[in-house]
Amino acid sequence: MTLDNDPNFDIRFKIIGGDRDKFFKAEERLVGDFCFLLIRTRTGNVAFLNRERKDKYVLEVRATGTRREGKNKMSLMEADAKVVVKLLDTNDLKPLFYPTEYEATVPEDTPLHRSILQVSAEDADLGRNGEIYYSFLEVPEQFAVHPMTGVISLTRPLRYAERSLHELTVIGQDRGALFKPGAAVGMPSTAKITIRVQQVNLNSPEIYVHHLPDIVEHSNADIYAIVRVIDRDKGIHGEIQSLEIVDGDPDGHFRIRSAEETGGKSGEYNIEVLHLLDREIAPQGYNLTLRATDKGVPSRQTYKSVPVHLADLNDNAPVFDREIYEVEVPETAPVNTPVIRLKVTDADEGKNAQVFLEIVGGNEGGEFHINPDTGMLYTAEKLDAEYKAFYTLTVSAIDQGNAGTRKQSSAKVKINVMDTNDNDPLFDPPEDVVWVDENEPAGTSVTRVTARDKDSGENAYISYSIVNLNPVPFEIDHFSGVIRTTTVLDYESMRREYILRIRASDWGLPYRRQTEYNSRFEFEM
């Protein structure tokens, strides 16, 4: 506030509100022509500022100005303002644990790095002054405390037999600097930790299986395997309560029986076969799951898979996917043309399921052969539908089991040789001489030609035509082969001899076959 260079003008400051506890005092400070407000704490006040209780004060300050006007008269001027005072934090509090004592019971088989408990302390200061760092007063070998969270975890295995009780002291200290030398500020707080170790069943049972030779299906073997169960714990924790089959045997073909019942050793068990086994019903065998349980507290269990493989017995014959196969083959098929594949299965395994195929009937001419391993049937000779149009083969399938146990089955393959247009029509006779009377009316039948075709169906259906380049007085019926005159023949005025070129064509596909025939016609008077 300026004084305007007037020595008669005087300014005073006073706190009129916001300071109920009288912590602050307003003073004036004159610098040149300006009068500044100075707020300080009162020195005689027995109470102290406490940020944790109240961190901000809003003071109402009044400035009063007076001026002398004559010998006794003064004029009064006032102005009010608000001054906000924020308190800064000092490290005047130490951390406090709540509670100050912690207890925990920990099983001796607790995994390493497992959290056991968490201690907690609070500090009302701010920032680093309120950040708490946890540590042990005396560092233990088996435990660690997280410096920021206060979580106590296990670092080394516990052993009840070695030590059943652990007593620890945790320190909680803030990270702020001391407010002043010798003050209690920044001193750590402590909490007591009691950890009791609980004795548990440490070791699980161990299962050892001694397999006997593989069981042959349909055999009457009593014992499949001998099982030994041990537990490395002592006392009741090391005693075996039970060994049982819990999976892999839904139909109850097996059972567990203690060897002691039959005079065997303690801790040994037998896996016995109760019913006849069939590999075809269970082609993958069995996968038994054993469970051993000890008498410990709490009890421990161990599981073990025991595969049961059934050695195959050649008790199944090969089976064709069809009893009768029917197939068509064109007679023009080249040698080694695939005809059909015969599929054969055998429910056995190994050599007992390896099948050898052979043709045992209907192949007297050796027209076909079969791959004994794949079952593919091929042509072995050129086929001729005109010679033989149908074959019935008997194919035998024999497995490769041991001699005396081999089994076989058979199937029929009916093969229809389809005709193709592979034969030319043939005239009978191949040439002919015909005598024709003159003066016969037009349309007179003079002869008939005939051709034969060894094919069948439309491949053997024949039509006829005259293919002379120059016109001739004759025509032929395309279907019957009858030749007729087309005009009246005159011995004196016409040629006395005609040679007709007659063509016979079949109706085969994909192309026709044809033959030409020469017939000589001579006139008679």
Side-chain angles (χ1 to χ4, degrees):
M1 179 176 290
T2 180
L3 300 179
D4 295 330
N5 296 319
D6 187 353
N8 296 319
F9 193 78
D10 189 21
I11 298 176
R12 294 289 182 266
F13 296 102
K14 183 180 181 181
I15 298 174
I16 61 173
D19 186 18
R20 187 180 60 181
D21 296 325
K22 306 300 181 179
F23 282 119
F24 304 96
K25 182 179 180 180
E27 295 182 350
E28 305 82 17
R29 179 168 294 183
L30 184 62
V31 179
D33 295 335
F34 288 88
C35 184
F36 292 93
L37 171 64
L38 177 64
I39 295 179
R40 64 178 180 82
T41 58
R42 294 180 181 272
T43 57
N45 199 335
V46 295
F48 294 94
L49 292 174
N50 190 339
R51 186 203 60 80
E52 287 75 29
R53 180 181 299 172
K54 186 173 183 180
D55 63 352
K56 185 174 72 172
Y57 292 84
V58 180
L59 305 179
E60 295 180 13
V61 181
R62 177 170 294 171
T64 303
T66 59
R67 183 190 302 274
R68 293 185 181 90
E69 296 179 353
K71 187 174 181 179
N72 295 317
K73 292 183 179 181
M74 301 177 65
S75 63
L76 180 65
M77 293 180 290
E78 294 181 346
D80 294 341
K82 289 185 178 181
V83 178
V84 178
V85 179
K86 293 184 178 180
L87 301 188
L88 302 178
D89 183 63
T90 59
N91 192 17
D92 58 342
L93 298 173
K94 69 176 182 179
L96 295 177
F97 280 98
Y98 184 81
T100 58
E101 295 184 1
Y102 297 82
E103 293 185 1
T105 300
V106 183
E108 62 178 326
D109 62 345
T110 300
L112 296 183
H113 310 297
R114 175 69 60 83
S115 298
I116 296 175
L117 57 84
Q118 183 178 17
V119 297
S120 178
E122 295 183 355
D123 193 320
D125 292 321
L126 293 179
R128 295 175 60 89
N129 298 332
E131 294 180 6
I132 301 174
Y133 181 86
Y134 300 96
S135 62
F136 284 118
L137 181 63
E138 296 180 0
V139 180
E141 294 183 355
Q142 294 168 295
F143 302 94
V145 61
H146 192 282
M148 304 303 294
T149 64
V151 174
I152 297 176
S153 57
L154 185 65
T155 58
R156 292 190 180 181
L158 297 174
R159 292 290 181 265
Y160 177 86
E162 297 175 1
R163 188 174 178 181
S164 62
L165 182 67
H166 296 265
E167 293 181 339
L168 312 173
T169 300
V170 176
I171 300 174
Q173 188 170 15
D174 63 40
R175 305 179 69 180
L178 294 180
F179 183 76
K180 59 182 179 178
V185 179
M187 295 296 292
S189 295
T190 60
K192 299 293 183 181
I193 311 296
T194 301
I195 298 177
R196 293 180 174 84
V197 181
Q198 180 184 24
Q199 185 181 18
V200 297
N201 186 12
L202 288 178
N203 297 295
S204 299
E206 300 174 13
I207 302 175
Y208 299 92
V209 180
H210 174 65
H211 292 271
L212 299 179
D214 289 340
I215 301 175
V216 178
E217 59 175 335
H218 306 307
S219 67
N220 292 319
D222 291 331
I223 299 177
Y224 169 67
I226 299 174
V227 182
R228 186 165 60 95
V229 183
I230 64 173
D231 193 310
R232 301 187 185 278
D233 290 312
K234 303 298 181 181
I236 193 172
H237 297 309
E239 296 180 10
I240 304 302
Q241 177 175 327
S242 64
L243 177 69
E244 53 191 339
I245 300 172
V246 295
D247 196 11
D249 184 26
D251 298 323
H253 287 88
F254 303 88
R255 73 174 178 183
I256 298 290
R257 190 178 182 189
S258 174
E260 289 184 301
E261 298 181 18
T262 57
K265 296 180 181 180
S266 175
E268 288 189 352
Y269 301 83
N270 296 330
I271 300 179
E272 298 181 353
V273 181
L274 296 179
H275 307 290
L276 294 180
L277 304 175
D278 189 347
R279 193 201 62 80
E280 285 69 45
I281 296 178
Q284 304 301 324
Y286 297 86
N287 191 23
L288 307 180
T289 300
L290 307 184
R291 180 177 66 192
T293 306
D294 63 23
K295 295 182 180 179
V297 179
S299 64
R300 283 183 174 268
Q301 298 176 338
T302 298
Y303 293 85
K304 188 176 184 65
S305 294
V306 180
V308 179
H309 179 71
L310 302 181
D312 183 53
L313 181 68
N314 193 14
D315 57 342
N316 291 280
V319 177
F320 287 90
D321 63 337
R322 281 182 279 174
E323 293 182 0
I324 299 177
Y325 299 83
E326 296 184 5
V327 65
E328 293 181 341
V329 181
E331 63 176 340
T332 55
V335 175
N336 289 327
T337 297
V339 177
I340 192 173
R341 182 179 179 182
L342 282 64
K343 295 182 180 180
V344 184
T345 57
D346 194 312
D348 295 316
E349 67 175 7
K351 288 187 176 181
N352 296 334
Q354 294 178 3
V355 180
F356 182 88
L357 288 87
E358 62 178 338
I359 301 173
V360 296
N363 194 36
E364 291 75 12
E367 291 88 349
F368 302 92
H369 72 90
I370 192 169
N371 185 309
D373 299 317
T374 65
M376 182 63 75
L377 184 67
Y378 299 89
T379 59
E381 300 288 343
K382 185 171 177 57
L383 304 178
D384 189 348
E386 289 73 40
Y387 171 72
K388 188 173 182 179
F390 189 78
Y391 295 83
T392 299
L393 306 181
T394 301
V395 179
S396 175
I398 305 173
D399 64 33
Q400 300 301 296
N402 295 329
T405 66
R406 292 179 179 174
K407 297 185 180 296
Q408 67 178 22
S409 60
S410 61
K412 299 291 185 182
V413 182
K414 295 182 177 181
I415 302 174
N416 182 25
V417 180
M418 296 183 297
D419 180 63
T420 58
N421 193 20
D422 59 342
N423 291 284
D424 294 331
L426 297 178
F427 284 95
D428 184 23
E431 292 186 357
D432 195 10
V433 177
V434 179
W435 295 91
V436 181
D437 294 333
E438 67 174 339
N439 299 320
E440 293 292 332
T444 300
S445 175
V446 293
T447 189
R448 179 182 180 182
V449 296
T450 303
R452 308 290 182 189
D453 195 314
K454 293 182 179 180
D455 296 318
S456 60
E458 290 193 352
N459 295 333
Y461 195 84
I462 298 173
S463 61
Y464 304 92
S465 61
I466 298 174
V467 295
N468 289 61
L469 295 178
N470 298 318
V472 293
F474 300 94
E475 63 180 3
I476 189 170
D477 187 287
H478 295 295
F479 302 105
S480 65
V482 174
I483 298 175
R484 297 181 175 87
T485 60
T486 60
T487 185
V488 176
L489 302 179
D490 185 6
Y491 181 84
E492 287 78 21
S493 62
M494 301 177 68
R495 292 174 52 187
R496 299 178 182 179
E497 180 181 90
Y498 290 92
I499 297 177
L500 299 185
R501 294 179 59 194
I502 301 173
R503 178 178 295 166
S505 301
D506 62 28
W507 288 35
L509 293 175
Y511 54 87
R512 294 185 175 187
R513 304 181 75 97
Q514 58 189 18
T515 302
E516 291 188 0
Y517 168 89
N518 291 329
S519 182
R520 186 159 55 109
F521 289 76
E522 295 184 3
F523 294 159
E524 288 185 331
M525 295 295 294

